[in-house]
Amino acid sequence: MALTPLEFPADDWLTWLNERGAGQLQAARESIAELVRAEPGSLLIVQLWNDAAIALRNAGSVAGLLSSVHPEAAVMERAEEIEVEVQGYSTDLHLDPDVYRALSSVAPANLDDDGRRMLAKSLRDFHRSGVDRDAGVRDRVRELEAKTTELSLAFSRNIRDGRLEARVPGSALAGLPADYVETHPVDSDGLVGISTDYPDVLPFLTFSTDAAARRVVASTFFSIASPINDPVLAELLQARHELATLLGYANWPDYDAEVKMIGSGDAIAAFIDTVSAAAGPAGEREIGILAARAALDGETEIDASNWRYFHEFVKREQYGVDAHQVRRYFDFGKVHDGLLQITGQLFGLRFTPVPADQARPWHPDVTSYDVSFDDGRQIGRIYLDLHPRERKYNHAAQFDLVAGVRDRQLPEGVLVCNFPRGLMEHRDVVTLFHEFGHLIHHLLGGGQSWVRFSGVATEWDFVEAPSQLLEEWAWDAGVLQLFATDADGTPIPAELVAQMKAAEEFGKGFLARTQMFYAALAYRFHLERPTDPTARMLELYAEYSLVKPLPDTHFYTGFGHLAGYTSGYYTYMWSLVIAKDLFSAFDPDNLLEPEVAAHYRDAVLAPGGSKDAGELVADFLGRPYNTKAFEDWLNR
Ligand SMILES: [Zn+2]
């Protein structure tokens, strides 16, 4: 029997949300109650575990989506409440010894491969929260979890509240755009305040022609939350270390990496050094170009205060791409249609518009499509919510509406973005392709029996690879020319695309080295818990970054990712390396070649999280992943 998509209400969203959100949460609780009462060892236990996970995911998905996009405040607020309830229940569930006992009573030998894998992963989660340990350890784990959460929040809060302001001469605004100058009035002493907020500091460091003022602003920026975050960070690193060792791991990076594609702390160190070595030649060459330009201004080296300025300067001088020239080829409507045409052709998909009176989305701007294979087999439904409006989520992301489960429910996903209705920046086009990569992964991976493996359910450090891969199509002249035409219908010239790409890529070597400095700092600090973090930071600077630090600055106290990414900052670069490796299988002269794309769809996207990401990549490439394609790209 064909499955049907979720049906939205004609008008009363609040009642509908209560049924779908709170109702599914209640269903999860009932499945768990039954699971705990079930005969130990019975296969009913894993079925009920899956039922509970499906219901919990359904509740969380709908609440997460509507709290971000629904135009009615009451619906948004109720959705937020349900989100909090779902998160709280999910945490409690993974700390419940009765649930753990029931699940661990099931003999893996009685399950098929998929079921065994699901059970092993679930039991590992329990192990990682200490549920299988005695009461003393469990209590300490809970204390440490609370402590790391609290310290992470304090670390981030100190950065947020640690906003500083540099005072520089008004003349230092020379080079900045008119709207920036307008919003930064010069006071009666002839000085102007430049805060450490990104929209203030980044344009200033990129465009101000005053080298001394840039140094003052950059030094202020790299002093955020110093020294107030020193003791917080020391305690946080210590608490994470204790938590990891208490649970039987050698250190925090090993604990954190266990559930990632990279697998171990040692592998992080090796990855950082591989990328760093690969980026060396290109990076040194680029820094040489920037330094030569800086010398003309009497500046002796490229440091944290001037690299943005000279990077921008050289890019403009060498590749000067006129943004107006580019925008006229990217009309939103054409880009939207082009995206569906190209991804349809690439992955063998059909997008059939769902009439608004049938789809009944949460806002009239939202369009909906039923997605099927070329042969008519149904896959699921997507919603595109692509323009800004008040109170809507203001970044770009893919949201789940329903996680697909084979023979039970169709996958449904939503793109939430904030693009203009007329002409778009090329950057926005790249973002659209990126997010669509997540959406298509969610849909195509939605045919699993265990919801744990549904859709974008691969290791956390692999998740961005399929979306980064799809960005390549937005940089290919042949692909762009299919839909990027100006008002007269003239396609974007291939030379312009080449120029845009060259500008985009200039600096990839030294920027990769900066990224590796960040990654090394995040990893080493967690591994070593240095007693003198500034001294250790300077050593790592010298080892990895090609950009010199400023004296008496403390970048790490303001490095917010230490709270969230912990020792795993490498993931940014990791997924890019994997994406480049995946891309190496495609024909660069014909990105729309359907056979390789179909193979990619079936080998990498369709299995969702049912296999380890390393295995998915190997199934597609016919060999284990490696860094060669990435290295070639860096040095071409
Ligand atoms: Zn993404």
Side-chain angles (χ1 to χ4, degrees), residues 232-288:
V232 179
L233 181 60
E235 250 193 282
L236 177 59
L237 296 175
Q238 185 53 41
R240 282 179 178 154
H241 181 74
E242 187 187 338
L243 183 59
T245 48
L246 192 60
L247 293 169
Y249 298 83
N251 50 59
W252 175 267
D254 270 352
Y255 170 74
D256 188 61
E258 182 193 33
V259 291
K260 310 273 168 69
M261 187 179 176
I262 205 162
S264 72
D266 285 347
I268 297 176
F271 174 71
I272 290 170
D273 285 340
T274 302
V275 171
S276 194
E284 301 277 6
R285 198 167 53 240
E286 293 154 357
I287 286 287

Side-chain angles (χ1 to χ4, degrees), residues 434-435 438 464 467:
H434 176 104
E435 298 304 338
H438 290 305
E464 293 299 325
S467 50

Side-chain angles (χ1 to χ4, degrees), residues 41 60 99 167 245 247 255 259 360 369 473 549:
V99 177
R167 311 285 295 166
T245 48
L247 293 169
Y255 170 74
V259 291
R360 295 202 293 258
Y369 296 84
W473 276 256

